[in-house]
Amino acid sequence: MTPQRKKWKELPGTITAAHRTLVTAMREVRERSSRTQAEIARDAHQAPTTLSNHLNGGRIPETPLLRDFYAVIEKDAAGHEPLPHTLDALLDMRTHAQRKHCECCTVGYPPGPEGQDAGDAVLPASHRVRESPVTRARRLRRLARRRELSVRRAHMRVPVPRTEGDRHPSGAAELTWTETGLVARYLADGQNRDADLLLWQAGTTYSASSVLEAVVSCQSAGLRAAAETILINVAERTDRQAVLNVAAAFSHAGRQEDVAFILAAATVVS
């Protein structure tokens, strides 16, 4: 099969040579699929923007995401010439891309094991690279349950709810998130990664009204931790106006505790 040549964006000049090597290799692998990037991302269980970020040098992909990406392309290219790089080669490139390459990189890094050269420590270039959205959500949920965050919530000014007649019926039957049953099944089967992906997508990509629907549905189903994870992922959004829009939707629905939770989590994120 003739590789599908794409016109790629120029890689940032700030990334390391090892990271550049990894991205270049991933691009060469990706070109062996004739499908769109959105289709590849869907089958690789990640958002299209996430895959795009990996292929444009925005961040180093986590190992599971890299494996899923490779598996999709390998399937697409089955029956044709071998891919230009093996999965093991890409994983090795990823390891090198995460290593520190100069003494200045020690700033902000914890010391390695005794006797280990700092340059050999396999550590990411930043906290954001190392910590996935799901991991951050879990960390923030723990913080949200700690006393200091509870104190912030108690003293935080929450928007005054509308009068009863103007509120949306947040507990009404129409507020049913279609993915609720799937999340519950994933959690029951121990497929936490699949459940977390759905909750991450809900918190980071849904509109304000859809987030409200998802959270209320999870809470009604007894999935309180899942609902909190969605809210924390909302707080993780870089678009702060979007966070306020979600908070406003919850306030309009009369869900002041959820509003306080979102705003308190947002203060931890920022």
Side-chain angles (χ1 to χ4, degrees):
M1 178 174 66
T2 303
Q4 302 295 314
R5 295 295 178 184
K6 287 175 54 67
K7 186 176 181 181
W8 296 101
K9 292 181 180 179
E10 184 176 352
L11 292 176
T14 55
I15 68 174
T16 65
H19 189 183
R20 185 179 297 271
T21 298
L22 171 63
V23 174
T24 300
M26 288 183 65
R27 286 178 171 184
E28 291 171 353
V29 170
R30 184 264 176 270
E31 288 176 340
R32 294 305 177 92
S33 173
S34 59
R35 295 196 296 159
T36 66
Q37 206 142 290
E39 291 173 331
I40 294 172
R42 180 196 63 206
D43 288 353
H45 312 295
Q46 55 188 278
T49 52
T50 299
L51 179 57
S52 178
N53 203 16
H54 294 159
L55 292 171
N56 287 307
R59 67 171 59 192
I60 299 171
E62 295 180 24
T63 297
L65 295 182
L66 184 57
R67 288 182 182 276
D68 288 346
F69 161 77
Y70 192 91
V72 171
I73 304 298
E74 189 174 45
K75 183 178 180 180
D76 288 349
H80 301 279
E81 60 184 5
L83 296 182
H85 304 279
T86 65
L87 175 59
D88 287 342
L90 288 183
L91 293 174
D92 186 58
M93 293 177 196
R94 178 187 178 279
T95 298
H96 285 285
Q98 287 191 297
R99 285 180 178 165
K100 298 181 293 182
H101 294 281
C102 61
E103 288 302 315
C104 65
C105 293
T106 60
V107 177
Y109 282 94
E114 184 176 357
Q116 181 185 39
D117 183 10
D120 292 334
V122 181
L123 291 171
S126 70
H127 180 70
R128 288 290 178 179
V129 170
R130 172 172 53 85
E131 193 173 49
S132 70
V134 170
T135 302
R136 290 200 301 276
R138 289 171 177 164
R139 173 176 56 82
L140 288 172
R141 188 164 67 233
R142 288 195 298 270
L143 287 174
R145 289 171 174 167
R146 290 172 57 180
R147 174 177 170 79
E148 58 265 34
L149 189 50
S150 297
V151 171
R152 292 187 198 179
R153 290 175 59 180
H155 293 283
M156 183 169 293
R157 183 178 180 181
V158 179
V160 177
R162 297 175 182 266
T163 58
E164 189 67 29
D166 292 335
R167 294 185 189 177
H168 292 299
S170 58
E174 65 267 21
L175 292 181
T176 301
W177 185 36
T178 57
E179 304 289 0
T180 306
L182 188 56
V183 169
R185 187 167 72 250
Y186 281 152
L187 293 175
D189 294 342
Q191 296 175 264
N192 294 334
R193 180 168 172 265
D194 292 323
D196 285 340
L197 178 60
L198 290 176
L199 299 174
W200 173 77
Q201 289 176 331
T204 59
T205 66
Y206 281 16
S207 65
S209 60
S210 295
V211 170
L212 174 62
E213 179 180 349
V215 169
V216 171
S217 186
C218 284
Q219 290 174 342
S220 298
L223 303 174
R224 183 174 180 80
E228 288 181 354
T229 298
I230 294 175
L231 294 177
I232 290 170
N233 281 315
V234 168
E236 285 272 280
R237 293 190 182 190
T238 56
D239 183 351
R240 309 315 286 172
Q241 184 59 52
V243 177
L244 293 177
N245 291 344
V246 173
F250 276 81
S251 177
H252 187 60
R255 306 186 66 84
Q256 303 309 309
E257 289 187 6
D258 291 331
V259 175
F261 189 92
I262 293 170
L263 299 181
T267 62
V268 175
V269 173
S270 59

